[in-house]
Amino acid sequence: MADVNLFLLQLFTGLALGSVYVLLATGLSLIFGMLTVVSFAHGAFFMVGAYIGVYQYGVTGNFWISLVVVPLVVGTVGLLTERFLVRPLYGRGIDYPLLLTFGLSYVLIEIVRIFFGVQGIPISTPEGLRGAVNIGVGHFPLYRLFLIVATAVVVGGLWLFIERTRFGLIIRAGARDPEIVRVLGIDISRVWLLVFGLGTAIAGLSGILAAPIRAVTPEMGIPVLVESFVVTVVGGMGSLAGAVVAGLLVGVVFSLTSLYAPAFAETSIFALMALVLLVRPQGLLGRAGLMG
Amino acid sequence: MLAVDKLHAWYGRSHVVQGISLEVKAGEIVTLMGRNGAGKTTTLRTVMGLVARRAGSVRFDGAEILSEPPHRRFRRGLGYVPEDRRIVPGLSVRENLRLGLLASPRLREEQRLIERIAGTFPRLKERIDQDGTSLSGGEQQMLAIARAMMSEPKMILLDEPSEGIMPVLVDEMFALFRKMKESGTTILLVEQNVERALAISDRAYIMDHGEIVFHDSAANLIANQEIQERYCSI
Ligand SMILES: Nc1ncnc2c1ncn2[C@@H]1O[C@H](COP(=O)(O)OP(=O)(O)O)[C@@H](O)[C@H]1O
Ligand SMILES: [Mg+2]
C-alpha cells in the first residue's frame, strides 16, 4: 500500500512538473503552428519571466501581481521581438528565425546577468501556497497542486479563446492556410505579431510559475528549452492538444524514473521521444508532413 | 471597375505574365481563357496581391492597388475564389462562412447573412455544422464561392469554378453567376468550360504564353470556332 501511495504521489509530482512543460510547449506550438517559426528564445523568455516575477514579488511582497505583470511585460518583449527581429526574416526559410532567436536567448541571458548577477536569486514559496495538503494518497505540496490548477486554467482559457472567439477562428484557419485568410481581408502579419506575443507571454508566465520549484538563474531556460522541444516533438509540432498530453507525459515519465531509476531520469525523456518518433514520426497528435 | 495595364509577374526568375492589359467594367462578366499553363491563375493571383514579384498597373474602383497587400484589396470590395477551393480543414461549414465576414463591418449580422446565403445554397444550409472538407467537390466549390460572397464584394475573381464538378452542379453554378451579375456583382471568370462561360459572359480575353493574344465580345467569340480551337482546345 505504501508503495502504491508513493507511486501515486510521484505521479502527481510528475503532473506538476509536466504542467510547466505543457505551458512552454503550448506557446512553442502556437508560434510554430502559426508562423512556422521555431523559437529558440522560448527558454530565455521563460527565464526572463521568472526574474521579472521574482523581482516584482520582492518589491511588493505580493506574488499574485507577478502572475499579471510577467505575461504583460514578457509578452511585450515578444511583440517587439517579432516586429523588429523576426518579421524581416519571413520567407527566407526556417533556419533564419531559428538562428536569430538562438542568438537573442544569449543576449537576454547576458542582460539578466548584468542586472541580477550570475548567481541566481532566491524565491520563497508564496504565502498562502506553502505547506502540504492531504490528497488521499499522502501529503502533497500545496504549491505544486496550485501549479497544476493554474496550468489547467491557462490551457482552458486558451482553448476557449481559440475555439470560441473571432480571433481564435483566424488562428485556426491561418495555421492551416494563411493565404485564404489574407484574401478574406485579414492582415496576417498582425495575427502573427499577436500570436508570437501570446506564446511568449505564456512562456514568461510559466517562468514565474516554475520559479518557486526551480533555481532561478540566468541559465535556467537552457535545459527547459531542450525539454520543451522534446515535448513538442512527442506531442506533434503545432498541435496544442499534443502539447498538453505530451507535457504531462514527459513530466510523469521524468518523475517516475527519478523515483525508480534515478540514474536514467535525464535520459528517460529522450528515450520516450525516440520511441514516439519510431512509432509515430509526426508526434502523438501531430499532422503528418507539417514540416514539408 | 478593374483595369489591368501592362502587368508583369514572375515566379522566381520565370516570367509568367508578360505585360498583359485587360479591363472589366462595372456589372460585366468577363472570361479569361487559354490553355493550361498560359498564366491565367497567376494573373488572378497578381490582381489579388498574392504574387511577390510584379510590375505594371492594377486599378480597382479608381485606385492603384498594385502594391497593396491582399487584405486591403479585399476591404476595397475585391473577392477571390482560388483554383483549388481551399476549404479550411477542421472548420465547419458555418466557420468557413464566418471567415468570409471577419474583416467585414457586417460581422454582427452573421446569422442573417448566413440565412441569406443558405437561401442561395440550400445544400450548405443542410450541412452547416459539418466539417467543410466533408462536402463533395461541388459543394466545397459552392462553399468557397459563398464564403467569398459573404461580404458582398463589388467584384469577384473566380478561378476555374467548374473544374472537376458534377454536371448538375455546373448548371447550378453558372445560373448562380448570372444571378450574381443581376444583383450587381462584377465578375472576372477563368474557365476551361469555354462554351458555358461564353454563354454568360459579356466579353472574353484569350491568354497564351503569358500574353493576351485575342480579345472580343463573347457573342463574336462563340461564332469564331477557329480562334477557340487554336487557343482553347484541351
Ligand atoms: N508557384 C509557382 N512557381 C513557379 N512556377 C509557377 C508557379 N505557379 C505556376 N507556375 C508556372 O507559371 C505558368 C503559368 O501557370 P498558371 O498561371 O497556373 O497557368 P494557368 O492558370 O493558365 O493554367 C506555368 O508554366 C506554371 O508552371
Ligand atoms: Mg490555372
Side-chain angles (χ1 to χ4, degrees), chain B residues 11-12 14-17 33-43 45 83 159-160 190 192 207:
Chain B
Y11 282 123
S14 90
H15 193 179
V16 176
V17 174
M33 334 190 288
R35 289 195 195 93
N36 267 334
K40 307 177 298 293
T41 295
T42 309
T43 300
R45 288 175 58 82
E83 195 165 24
D159 199 348
E160 302 208 21
V190 165
Q192 297 281 14
M207 201 171 174

PDB file of all heavy atoms in Angstrom, chain B residues 11-12 14-17 33-43 45 83 159-160 190 192 207, ligand 1:
ATOM      1  N   TYR B  11       7.524  34.174 -61.192  1.00  0.00           N
ATOM      2  CA  TYR B  11       7.777  33.240 -60.088  1.00  0.00           C
ATOM      3  C   TYR B  11       9.270  32.991 -60.087  1.00  0.00           C
ATOM      4  O   TYR B  11       9.792  32.364 -61.011  1.00  0.00           O
ATOM      5  CB  TYR B  11       7.048  31.910 -60.293  1.00  0.00           C
ATOM      6  CG  TYR B  11       5.566  31.983 -59.969  1.00  0.00           C
ATOM      7  CD1 TYR B  11       4.619  31.647 -60.926  1.00  0.00           C
ATOM      8  CD2 TYR B  11       5.129  32.358 -58.701  1.00  0.00           C
ATOM      9  CE1 TYR B  11       3.273  31.696 -60.623  1.00  0.00           C
ATOM     10  CE2 TYR B  11       3.793  32.417 -58.399  1.00  0.00           C
ATOM     11  CZ  TYR B  11       2.863  32.082 -59.367  1.00  0.00           C
ATOM     12  OH  TYR B  11       1.537  32.136 -59.072  1.00  0.00           O
ATOM     13  N   GLY B  12       9.957  33.485 -59.126  1.00  0.00           N
ATOM     14  CA  GLY B  12      11.415  33.413 -59.152  1.00  0.00           C
ATOM     15  C   GLY B  12      11.902  34.125 -60.393  1.00  0.00           C
ATOM     16  O   GLY B  12      11.613  35.306 -60.595  1.00  0.00           O
ATOM     17  N   SER B  14      11.180  32.947 -63.512  1.00  0.00           N
ATOM     18  CA  SER B  14      10.385  32.672 -64.704  1.00  0.00           C
ATOM     19  C   SER B  14       9.282  33.718 -64.859  1.00  0.00           C
ATOM     20  O   SER B  14       8.493  33.999 -63.953  1.00  0.00           O
ATOM     21  CB  SER B  14       9.858  31.227 -64.693  1.00  0.00           C
ATOM     22  OG  SER B  14       8.627  31.142 -64.065  1.00  0.00           O
ATOM     23  N   HIS B  15       9.277  34.326 -66.035  1.00  0.00           N
ATOM     24  CA  HIS B  15       8.420  35.456 -66.369  1.00  0.00           C
ATOM     25  C   HIS B  15       7.078  34.914 -66.842  1.00  0.00           C
ATOM     26  O   HIS B  15       6.919  34.562 -68.000  1.00  0.00           O
ATOM     27  CB  HIS B  15       9.126  36.256 -67.486  1.00  0.00           C
ATOM     28  CG  HIS B  15       8.528  37.600 -67.719  1.00  0.00           C
ATOM     29  ND1 HIS B  15       9.015  38.476 -68.646  1.00  0.00           N
ATOM     30  CD2 HIS B  15       7.493  38.247 -67.139  1.00  0.00           C
ATOM     31  CE1 HIS B  15       8.297  39.595 -68.640  1.00  0.00           C
ATOM     32  NE2 HIS B  15       7.371  39.474 -67.731  1.00  0.00           N
ATOM     33  N   VAL B  16       6.099  34.833 -65.939  1.00  0.00           N
ATOM     34  CA  VAL B  16       4.868  34.101 -66.227  1.00  0.00           C
ATOM     35  C   VAL B  16       3.798  34.976 -66.873  1.00  0.00           C
ATOM     36  O   VAL B  16       3.103  34.566 -67.801  1.00  0.00           O
ATOM     37  CB  VAL B  16       4.328  33.438 -64.932  1.00  0.00           C
ATOM     38  CG1 VAL B  16       3.009  32.765 -65.204  1.00  0.00           C
ATOM     39  CG2 VAL B  16       5.336  32.422 -64.409  1.00  0.00           C
ATOM     40  N   VAL B  17       3.651  36.197 -66.388  1.00  0.00           N
ATOM     41  CA  VAL B  17       2.697  37.123 -67.006  1.00  0.00           C
ATOM     42  C   VAL B  17       3.520  38.230 -67.654  1.00  0.00           C
ATOM     43  O   VAL B  17       4.324  38.884 -67.000  1.00  0.00           O
ATOM     44  CB  VAL B  17       1.721  37.706 -65.956  1.00  0.00           C
ATOM     45  CG1 VAL B  17       0.834  38.769 -66.589  1.00  0.00           C
ATOM     46  CG2 VAL B  17       0.875  36.597 -65.347  1.00  0.00           C
ATOM     47  N   MET B  33      -9.645  33.113 -70.858  1.00  0.00           N
ATOM     48  CA  MET B  33      -9.491  31.720 -71.254  1.00  0.00           C
ATOM     49  C   MET B  33      -8.072  31.462 -71.741  1.00  0.00           C
ATOM     50  O   MET B  33      -7.272  32.367 -71.890  1.00  0.00           O
ATOM     51  CB  MET B  33     -10.478  31.351 -72.362  1.00  0.00           C
ATOM     52  CG  MET B  33     -11.740  32.198 -72.392  1.00  0.00           C
ATOM     53  SD  MET B  33     -12.985  31.566 -73.499  1.00  0.00           S
ATOM     54  CE  MET B  33     -12.303  31.914 -75.083  1.00  0.00           C
ATOM     55  N   GLY B  34      -7.797  30.202 -72.010  1.00  0.00           N
ATOM     56  CA  GLY B  34      -6.475  29.840 -72.505  1.00  0.00           C
ATOM     57  C   GLY B  34      -6.068  28.481 -71.973  1.00  0.00           C
ATOM     58  O   GLY B  34      -6.671  27.967 -71.036  1.00  0.00           O
ATOM     59  N   ARG B  35      -5.063  27.908 -72.621  1.00  0.00           N
ATOM     60  CA  ARG B  35      -4.619  26.561 -72.248  1.00  0.00           C
ATOM     61  C   ARG B  35      -4.063  26.514 -70.838  1.00  0.00           C
ATOM     62  O   ARG B  35      -3.703  27.544 -70.268  1.00  0.00           O
ATOM     63  CB  ARG B  35      -3.507  26.115 -73.183  1.00  0.00           C
ATOM     64  CG  ARG B  35      -3.961  25.817 -74.565  1.00  0.00           C
ATOM     65  CD  ARG B  35      -2.869  25.032 -75.287  1.00  0.00           C
ATOM     66  NE  ARG B  35      -3.140  25.051 -76.722  1.00  0.00           N
ATOM     67  CZ  ARG B  35      -2.628  25.967 -77.537  1.00  0.00           C
ATOM     68  NH1 ARG B  35      -1.808  26.886 -77.077  1.00  0.00           N
ATOM     69  NH2 ARG B  35      -2.937  25.960 -78.802  1.00  0.00           N
ATOM     70  N   ASN B  36      -3.897  25.304 -70.365  1.00  0.00           N
ATOM     71  CA  ASN B  36      -3.204  25.102 -69.091  1.00  0.00           C
ATOM     72  C   ASN B  36      -1.800  25.685 -69.167  1.00  0.00           C
ATOM     73  O   ASN B  36      -1.105  25.484 -70.151  1.00  0.00           O
ATOM     74  CB  ASN B  36      -3.079  23.604 -68.794  1.00  0.00           C
ATOM     75  CG  ASN B  36      -4.238  23.131 -67.948  1.00  0.00           C
ATOM     76  OD1 ASN B  36      -4.836  23.923 -67.211  1.00  0.00           O
ATOM     77  ND2 ASN B  36      -4.555  21.866 -68.067  1.00  0.00           N
ATOM     78  N   GLY B  37      -1.414  26.405 -68.142  1.00  0.00           N
ATOM     79  CA  GLY B  37      -0.063  26.951 -68.117  1.00  0.00           C
ATOM     80  C   GLY B  37       0.071  28.284 -68.827  1.00  0.00           C
ATOM     81  O   GLY B  37       1.162  28.838 -68.912  1.00  0.00           O
ATOM     82  N   ALA B  38      -1.054  28.829 -69.326  1.00  0.00           N
ATOM     83  CA  ALA B  38      -0.989  30.098 -70.059  1.00  0.00           C
ATOM     84  C   ALA B  38      -0.678  31.267 -69.136  1.00  0.00           C
ATOM     85  O   ALA B  38      -0.133  32.286 -69.567  1.00  0.00           O
ATOM     86  CB  ALA B  38      -2.306  30.341 -70.787  1.00  0.00           C
ATOM     87  N   GLY B  39      -1.049  31.132 -67.876  1.00  0.00           N
ATOM     88  CA  GLY B  39      -0.779  32.223 -66.925  1.00  0.00           C
ATOM     89  C   GLY B  39      -2.041  32.842 -66.341  1.00  0.00           C
ATOM     90  O   GLY B  39      -1.997  33.907 -65.727  1.00  0.00           O
ATOM     91  N   LYS B  40      -3.193  32.164 -66.496  1.00  0.00           N
ATOM     92  CA  LYS B  40      -4.468  32.723 -66.023  1.00  0.00           C
ATOM     93  C   LYS B  40      -4.515  32.814 -64.500  1.00  0.00           C
ATOM     94  O   LYS B  40      -4.874  33.840 -63.930  1.00  0.00           O
ATOM     95  CB  LYS B  40      -5.643  31.864 -66.535  1.00  0.00           C
ATOM     96  CG  LYS B  40      -5.632  31.641 -68.029  1.00  0.00           C
ATOM     97  CD  LYS B  40      -6.762  30.737 -68.493  1.00  0.00           C
ATOM     98  CE  LYS B  40      -6.740  29.329 -67.937  1.00  0.00           C
ATOM     99  NZ  LYS B  40      -5.609  28.501 -68.406  1.00  0.00           N
ATOM    100  N   THR B  41      -4.143  31.701 -63.857  1.00  0.00           N
ATOM    101  CA  THR B  41      -4.159  31.697 -62.388  1.00  0.00           C
ATOM    102  C   THR B  41      -3.207  32.752 -61.840  1.00  0.00           C
ATOM    103  O   THR B  41      -3.548  33.497 -60.918  1.00  0.00           O
ATOM    104  CB  THR B  41      -3.769  30.298 -61.864  1.00  0.00           C
ATOM    105  OG1 THR B  41      -4.790  29.378 -62.262  1.00  0.00           O
ATOM    106  CG2 THR B  41      -3.631  30.287 -60.353  1.00  0.00           C
ATOM    107  N   THR B  42      -2.034  32.834 -62.449  1.00  0.00           N
ATOM    108  CA  THR B  42      -1.052  33.815 -61.991  1.00  0.00           C
ATOM    109  C   THR B  42      -1.602  35.228 -62.165  1.00  0.00           C
ATOM    110  O   THR B  42      -1.383  36.103 -61.319  1.00  0.00           O
ATOM    111  CB  THR B  42       0.268  33.641 -62.766  1.00  0.00           C
ATOM    112  OG1 THR B  42       0.647  32.263 -62.695  1.00  0.00           O
ATOM    113  CG2 THR B  42       1.365  34.492 -62.178  1.00  0.00           C
ATOM    114  N   THR B  43      -2.323  35.458 -63.246  1.00  0.00           N
ATOM    115  CA  THR B  43      -2.918  36.780 -63.451  1.00  0.00           C
ATOM    116  C   THR B  43      -3.879  37.109 -62.300  1.00  0.00           C
ATOM    117  O   THR B  43      -3.795  38.178 -61.692  1.00  0.00           O
ATOM    118  CB  THR B  43      -3.669  36.821 -64.797  1.00  0.00           C
ATOM    119  OG1 THR B  43      -2.730  36.549 -65.841  1.00  0.00           O
ATOM    120  CG2 THR B  43      -4.312  38.172 -65.018  1.00  0.00           C
ATOM    121  N   ARG B  45      -3.988  35.801 -59.329  1.00  0.00           N
ATOM    122  CA  ARG B  45      -3.238  35.928 -58.065  1.00  0.00           C
ATOM    123  C   ARG B  45      -2.530  37.280 -57.980  1.00  0.00           C
ATOM    124  O   ARG B  45      -2.417  37.862 -56.911  1.00  0.00           O
ATOM    125  CB  ARG B  45      -2.218  34.789 -57.926  1.00  0.00           C
ATOM    126  CG  ARG B  45      -2.873  33.422 -57.620  1.00  0.00           C
ATOM    127  CD  ARG B  45      -1.845  32.292 -57.608  1.00  0.00           C
ATOM    128  NE  ARG B  45      -0.790  32.523 -56.626  1.00  0.00           N
ATOM    129  CZ  ARG B  45      -0.890  32.248 -55.332  1.00  0.00           C
ATOM    130  NH1 ARG B  45      -1.985  31.721 -54.858  1.00  0.00           N
ATOM    131  NH2 ARG B  45       0.114  32.491 -54.522  1.00  0.00           N
ATOM    132  N   GLU B  83      -8.288  28.648 -57.285  1.00  0.00           N
ATOM    133  CA  GLU B  83      -8.433  27.477 -58.133  1.00  0.00           C
ATOM    134  C   GLU B  83      -8.815  26.210 -57.350  1.00  0.00           C
ATOM    135  O   GLU B  83      -9.671  25.459 -57.760  1.00  0.00           O
ATOM    136  CB  GLU B  83      -7.070  27.269 -58.807  1.00  0.00           C
ATOM    137  CG  GLU B  83      -7.076  26.341 -59.974  1.00  0.00           C
ATOM    138  CD  GLU B  83      -5.788  26.484 -60.779  1.00  0.00           C
ATOM    139  OE1 GLU B  83      -4.754  26.915 -60.233  1.00  0.00           O
ATOM    140  OE2 GLU B  83      -5.832  26.164 -61.973  1.00  0.00           O
ATOM    141  N   ASP B 159     -11.548  31.392 -60.163  1.00  0.00           N
ATOM    142  CA  ASP B 159     -10.572  30.602 -60.912  1.00  0.00           C
ATOM    143  C   ASP B 159     -11.083  29.174 -61.126  1.00  0.00           C
ATOM    144  O   ASP B 159     -11.087  28.368 -60.196  1.00  0.00           O
ATOM    145  CB  ASP B 159      -9.229  30.602 -60.169  1.00  0.00           C
ATOM    146  CG  ASP B 159      -8.069  30.210 -61.091  1.00  0.00           C
ATOM    147  OD1 ASP B 159      -8.343  29.720 -62.213  1.00  0.00           O
ATOM    148  OD2 ASP B 159      -6.907  30.400 -60.682  1.00  0.00           O
ATOM    149  N   GLU B 160     -11.493  28.904 -62.358  1.00  0.00           N
ATOM    150  CA  GLU B 160     -11.983  27.579 -62.761  1.00  0.00           C
ATOM    151  C   GLU B 160     -12.963  26.968 -61.771  1.00  0.00           C
ATOM    152  O   GLU B 160     -12.734  25.864 -61.249  1.00  0.00           O
ATOM    153  CB  GLU B 160     -10.802  26.624 -62.986  1.00  0.00           C
ATOM    154  CG  GLU B 160      -9.869  27.182 -64.042  1.00  0.00           C
ATOM    155  CD  GLU B 160      -9.114  26.109 -64.786  1.00  0.00           C
ATOM    156  OE1 GLU B 160      -9.558  24.943 -64.791  1.00  0.00           O
ATOM    157  OE2 GLU B 160      -8.080  26.448 -65.390  1.00  0.00           O
ATOM    158  N   VAL B 190     -12.191  32.798 -64.826  1.00  0.00           N
ATOM    159  CA  VAL B 190     -11.262  31.965 -65.577  1.00  0.00           C
ATOM    160  C   VAL B 190     -11.941  30.616 -65.743  1.00  0.00           C
ATOM    161  O   VAL B 190     -12.386  30.029 -64.757  1.00  0.00           O
ATOM    162  CB  VAL B 190      -9.920  31.813 -64.836  1.00  0.00           C
ATOM    163  CG1 VAL B 190      -9.095  30.675 -65.422  1.00  0.00           C
ATOM    164  CG2 VAL B 190      -9.127  33.114 -64.890  1.00  0.00           C
ATOM    165  N   GLN B 192     -12.238  26.767 -68.182  1.00  0.00           N
ATOM    166  CA  GLN B 192     -11.891  25.868 -69.288  1.00  0.00           C
ATOM    167  C   GLN B 192     -13.156  25.459 -70.036  1.00  0.00           C
ATOM    168  O   GLN B 192     -13.110  25.015 -71.173  1.00  0.00           O
ATOM    169  CB  GLN B 192     -11.216  24.587 -68.752  1.00  0.00           C
ATOM    170  CG  GLN B 192      -9.912  24.810 -68.040  1.00  0.00           C
ATOM    171  CD  GLN B 192      -8.748  25.013 -68.980  1.00  0.00           C
ATOM    172  OE1 GLN B 192      -8.917  25.250 -70.176  1.00  0.00           O
ATOM    173  NE2 GLN B 192      -7.547  24.927 -68.429  1.00  0.00           N
ATOM    174  N   MET B 207      -5.630  34.094 -73.381  1.00  0.00           N
ATOM    175  CA  MET B 207      -4.259  34.244 -72.948  1.00  0.00           C
ATOM    176  C   MET B 207      -3.443  33.056 -73.433  1.00  0.00           C
ATOM    177  O   MET B 207      -3.930  31.927 -73.456  1.00  0.00           O
ATOM    178  CB  MET B 207      -4.269  34.280 -71.414  1.00  0.00           C
ATOM    179  CG  MET B 207      -3.054  34.910 -70.812  1.00  0.00           C
ATOM    180  SD  MET B 207      -3.299  35.136 -69.046  1.00  0.00           S
ATOM    181  CE  MET B 207      -1.653  35.717 -68.681  1.00  0.00           C
TER     182      MET B 207
HETATM  183  N1  LIG C   1       4.214  28.731 -57.725  1.00  0.00           N
HETATM  184  C1  LIG C   1       4.811  28.650 -58.927  1.00  0.00           C
HETATM  185  N2  LIG C   1       6.147  28.627 -59.036  1.00  0.00           N
HETATM  186  C2  LIG C   1       6.765  28.559 -60.231  1.00  0.00           C
HETATM  187  N3  LIG C   1       6.110  28.492 -61.408  1.00  0.00           N
HETATM  188  C3  LIG C   1       4.772  28.502 -61.372  1.00  0.00           C
HETATM  189  C4  LIG C   1       4.053  28.575 -60.139  1.00  0.00           C
HETATM  190  N4  LIG C   1       2.724  28.572 -60.421  1.00  0.00           N
HETATM  191  C5  LIG C   1       2.640  28.490 -61.757  1.00  0.00           C
HETATM  192  N5  LIG C   1       3.850  28.444 -62.340  1.00  0.00           N
HETATM  193  C6  LIG C   1       4.129  28.377 -63.781  1.00  0.00           C
HETATM  194  O1  LIG C   1       3.600  29.530 -64.379  1.00  0.00           O
HETATM  195  C7  LIG C   1       2.968  29.234 -65.606  1.00  0.00           C
HETATM  196  C8  LIG C   1       1.547  29.733 -65.595  1.00  0.00           C
HETATM  197  O2  LIG C   1       0.798  28.989 -64.634  1.00  0.00           O
HETATM  198  P1  LIG C   1      -0.681  29.338 -64.270  1.00  0.00           P
HETATM  199  O3  LIG C   1      -0.792  30.788 -64.015  1.00  0.00           O
HETATM  200  O4  LIG C   1      -1.082  28.427 -63.184  1.00  0.00           O
HETATM  201  O5  LIG C   1      -1.423  28.992 -65.627  1.00  0.00           O
HETATM  202  P2  LIG C   1      -2.950  28.631 -65.887  1.00  0.00           P
HETATM  203  O6  LIG C   1      -3.754  29.018 -64.713  1.00  0.00           O
HETATM  204  O7  LIG C   1      -3.286  29.396 -67.107  1.00  0.00           O
HETATM  205  O8  LIG C   1      -3.001  27.155 -66.158  1.00  0.00           O
HETATM  206  C9  LIG C   1       3.098  27.728 -65.798  1.00  0.00           C
HETATM  207  O9  LIG C   1       4.176  27.489 -66.654  1.00  0.00           O
HETATM  208  C10 LIG C   1       3.396  27.223 -64.423  1.00  0.00           C
HETATM  209  O10 LIG C   1       4.206  26.067 -64.484  1.00  0.00           O
END
